[in-house]
């Protein structure tokens, strides 16, 4: 069974003809919400997941208004408010070289270029404060280390081995 990645959440209905408002959780909404695209709907009430097909979608005030095939009125779709929309993890949009999905980075061991023998820690989350992402690294003991994702610091990313090599600039370590 493949892992599923969240691409959006049904936050509300839109009008009376069965359209829904989707809060996008993807960098590729134009791909994920394209007509004919199949998504897994995971109901908020815990009932069984099922496949839905996008009939049409448009961006509207930071969200997507979508029409799902087979749903023609508000009464059919209203019960799915709060449900998640997912895709199988093997349905990834290919990224440019040296760009990675969050789920590929979180969980990687971080090593320094000076001490490749023992890990600095494991990436637990990714922050997006502005100019560049910041990896939160949890060492075996001690406080978390924040690593800026910039070319001078991140030297090598090996997704297969879940290993990242960084150069620690002065002032990065507590």
């Amino acid at each position: 069974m493949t892992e599923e990645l969240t691409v959006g959440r049904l936050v509300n209905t839109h009008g009376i003809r069965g359209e829904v408002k989707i809060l996008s959780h993807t960098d590729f909404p134009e791909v994920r919400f394209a007509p004919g695209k199949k998504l897994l709907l995971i109901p908020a009430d815990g009932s069984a997941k099922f496949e839905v097909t996008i009939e049409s979608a448009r961006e509207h005030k930071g969200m997507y208004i979508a029409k799902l095939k087979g749903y023609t009125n508000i009464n059919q779709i209203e019960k799915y408010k709060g449900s998640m929309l997912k895709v199988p993890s093997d349905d990834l949009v290919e990224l440019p070289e040296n760009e990675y999905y969050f789920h590929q980075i979180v969980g990687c061991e971080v090593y320094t270029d000076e001490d490749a023998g023992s890990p600095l820690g494991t990436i637990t989350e990714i922050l997006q404060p502005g100019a560049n992402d910041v990896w939160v690294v949890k060492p075996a003991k001690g406080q978390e280390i924040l690593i800026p994702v910039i070319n001078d610091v991140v030297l090598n990313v090996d997704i297969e081995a879940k290993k990242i090599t960084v150069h620690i600039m002065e002032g990065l370590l507590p």
Side-chain angles (χ1 to χ4, degrees):
M1 188 167 144
T2 61
E3 186 184 349
E4 295 160 350
L5 305 172
T6 301
V7 295
R9 185 166 61 89
L10 299 182
V11 292
N12 211 343
T13 57
H14 182 79
I16 60 169
R17 293 194 172 90
E19 288 184 311
V20 291
K21 287 183 185 178
I22 299 173
L23 178 61
S24 176
H25 291 278
T26 176
D27 287 337
F28 310 101
E30 67 285 347
V31 173
R32 298 300 182 200
F33 308 130
K37 183 70 178 169
K38 293 183 185 319
L39 302 171
L40 286 173
L41 190 142
I42 315 296
D45 65 8
S47 56
K49 61 186 171 187
F50 58 94
E51 194 173 81
V52 293
T53 304
I54 300 287
E55 193 172 291
S56 65
R58 64 190 183 280
E59 190 173 4
H60 179 72
K61 296 184 180 176
M63 297 210 188
Y64 276 78
I65 305 294
K67 178 92 171 113
L68 304 177
K69 268 193 185 141
Y71 295 90
T72 56
N73 73 61
I74 189 172
N75 298 323
Q76 293 174 300
I77 200 77
E78 193 168 30
K79 62 186 168 193
Y80 298 117
K81 283 197 294 191
S83 299
M84 301 305 286
L85 293 170
K86 298 188 177 223
V87 294
S89 61
D90 56 7
D91 186 16
L92 294 176
V93 173
E94 196 157 320
L95 295 176
E97 193 175 338
N98 295 325
E99 286 191 26
Y100 307 95
Y101 285 100
F102 280 22
H103 75 273
Q104 293 174 310
I105 297 295
V106 173
C108 285
E109 294 283 321
V110 178
Y111 294 83
T112 68
D113 55 347
E114 295 167 3
D115 182 14
S118 58
L120 192 60
T122 304
I123 297 174
T124 58
E125 70 177 303
I126 299 172
L127 306 176
Q128 294 183 293
N132 54 272
D133 290 353
V134 175
W135 292 336
V136 178
V137 177
K138 178 76 177 141
K141 56 185 172 202
Q143 64 186 106
E144 293 175 330
I145 303 162
L146 301 178
I147 305 287
V149 182
I150 56 175
N151 291 338
D152 290 345
V153 174
V154 179
L155 303 178
N156 185 44
V157 177
D158 185 345
I159 293 300
E160 299 298 316
K162 300 289 275 178
K163 180 179 177 179
I164 295 174
T165 307
V166 297
H167 172 71
I168 299 298
M169 297 170 71
E170 194 174 326
L172 271 185
L173 293 179

